Amino acid sequence: MAHRTDALQQVEVPIRGMDCLECTHHVQHALAALPGMAAVQVYLTSEKAVLQMEPALIDLSGIRQAVEGAGYSVPLTPATPEVSSSAHTLASFTRPVLTLFGLVVGAVLLVVVAGEWLGIFERVTERVPWWLGTLLVVLIGAPIYTNVLRAALRRQIISHTLMSLGVVSALVVGQWTTAAVVVFFMYVGSYAEHFTTERSRQAVKRLTALAPQTARVEREEQEQEVAVGEVQIGETVIIHPGERIPVDGIVLEGQATVDQATITGESLPVEVHADSHVFATTIASLGHLKVRTTQVGADTTYGRVVQLVEEAEAHRAEVQRLADRFSTYFLPVVASIALLTFLVSRNPLATAAVLVVACSCSLALATPIAMLASIGAGAKRGLLIKGGKYLEALAQANVLFVDKTGTLTTGRPQIVDIVALAHLSEAVVLQLAASAERYSEHPLAEAVCRTAAEQHLPLEEPARFEAVPGAGVRALVGGKQVAVGNARLLSEAHQVGTAQDLEAQGKTLLFVAVDDEVVGVLAATDTVRPEVTQALAEVRTLGITHIELLTGDHEQAAARLAKELGIAYQANLLPEDKIALVKTAQAKGQVVVMVGDGVNDAPALAQANVGIAMGAAGSEVALEAAHLALMRDDWSLVPEALRIARRTMRTVKLNIGFTALYNLVGLSLAALGLLPPNLAAAAQSLPDLGILANSSRLLRAPSAPRTRR
């Protein structure tokens, strides 16, 4: 049945008790079966389900029942108070008691069994009646058996299904102590999975915990402290020194030093003042601010970052999807091996060991744990990675396309040459030009005035000012008619001999005239970011074989910059031309990375295998269009992203190889009768810890040194 997307409502449901991807699949299947459900996405790290449903069919109690029927829980919130049933209360009380009891008894039995092998506790367990031992095993394993039965009723096989069959096999042949030890290690394995998954959640939890819960708002000329959710757009928020800024906004009054590491990953603080943009969760120090609110809560830059990090696991890499599909067939294959073992050897203990030793959860965890570790670590450094599939693509990338203005360059033109004519000095030419341009808002005018200020030149107040669109300005300065602009503004501009040489270098020219006589030429250019040269050298060593500049700028400017950086270029491009070039490279089997400013390059960023947006902090377009956002304008983050991606994929492959080899050896030893069920149960718990230990290396910064200029 088709659902109209414009008629659907999004519902978020918190879920507790999920420890692995197998758990998310169970919850997803249970919720997908509800009437009116169009889409379900279950997130392990943020412990929630996001549902797309028809509004008329939303049934919160039905959603809760479906989740609880799958073996998990929906926590009660103050907004939806409910009285728990006596059965639910009893279950909540007895489950941890039985778990603790099972762990203690299992540990004691493990010591006893080990003692028997050493000849220390001979005939100890023989004094316990078989029926009492069996009852003990059933009692301590009740919570696990309940989940297995629930899964069986839904026609699902979970990892504990096979181990439970192993327990039954041990009981059938009278080995109740072995069965009890297997149950003990089932609990140990569950706690290992929970611990492993909890470590992967820490990045999201740390991000969420940074968000302020209250804000000081100026209402009726008084300062009131309210919940952040109650702050309205346009209200004035007051921030005292040392406080986290609770909203996105624009500074109205005050000046402060702000630590923006939570947004940009940059450790150095920035100075903010009137008209500066500030972001939620950043810390104001050494100053007092009044901020006009522009975004609140989930709509802030920080809120969008948290949401994207939470949802990153939905964008699964191909290697992760392969692991998920393999896990689906793994359990039936193990059951078949166990059956074959029994038919050939007639050894029920060997059969039980085969069922017990299989590690399906470790296969499911091999990829996402590594991916989530890298995504969380990247977020702390100002690298917002939207999912595992983009890490995988970035690790395979071999072509890099880059935009020019605002990406390779700062986006701020700078006066680099001053040519004085008519016996005037360079300082006089610059002073005349800056005086005429002082009221212009054009970026080139700002560059002229900035250069004059750097040289401490006094400016005159123009008596008359006129902006000529597309040409320049005219002003009356010191009783003289001064014009500053391009060749269209001045008829004599083409007679300046040095102009052609400067223009051939890709520079933008501003002619300065006094009383219609050209007295000087100013040459401006957009400066290259200082770290670009080193960053491009690093990406070449990381597998990028072709780097090409794609720009809408004119030929001379593109050629000059490309020659300076030693890369190929194409100029005079429209946005659709950039998309076509990306598609052409992809059609040749190349994996393309596109780096742009996230606004005018949005189409090409979306088309590339991996689109990287520069300086995405505060830019909604950049965060939405790109697959990877650099929260600050720092090109050194590009090679760092490549290093992270390659380290991640190496770790994933090592995790999968280790798990596959571990299962192969374990199943072989168990089938040959060389691995008893109790040791098989112990062995079953180890791969999860190995995957955690290996993946946790990704939380550290890449070891490759960088040279910053």
Side-chain angles (χ1 to χ4, degrees), residues 159 244 409 490 546 552 574 679:
S159 58
R244 287 191 183 273
T409 64
L490 301 168
H546 179 72
L574 297 174
L679 286 183

Side-chain angles (χ1 to χ4, degrees), residues 238-282:
I238 300 171
I239 297 98
H240 295 306
E243 292 184 340
R244 287 191 183 273
I245 299 173
V247 298
D248 280 7
I250 299 173
V251 176
L252 297 176
E253 296 180 18
Q255 187 171 354
T257 301
V258 178
D259 180 357
Q260 296 187 341
T262 54
I263 295 294
T264 66
E266 180 61 64
S267 58
L268 296 177
V270 299
E271 299 293 330
V272 300
H273 44 73
D275 296 329
S276 296
H277 288 268
V278 292
F279 307 104
T281 74
T282 58

Side-chain angles (χ1 to χ4, degrees), residues 227-245:
V228 170
E230 297 177 10
V231 180
Q232 303 296 317
I233 304 299
E235 282 195 302
T236 299
V237 174
I238 300 171
I239 297 98
H240 295 306
E243 292 184 340
R244 287 191 183 273
I245 299 173

Side-chain angles (χ1 to χ4, degrees), residues 190-203:
S190 295
Y191 278 113
E193 290 170 11
H194 176 75
F195 177 72
T196 302
T197 305
E198 194 62 27
R199 284 294 303 271
S200 71
R201 289 182 178 136
Q202 290 309 306

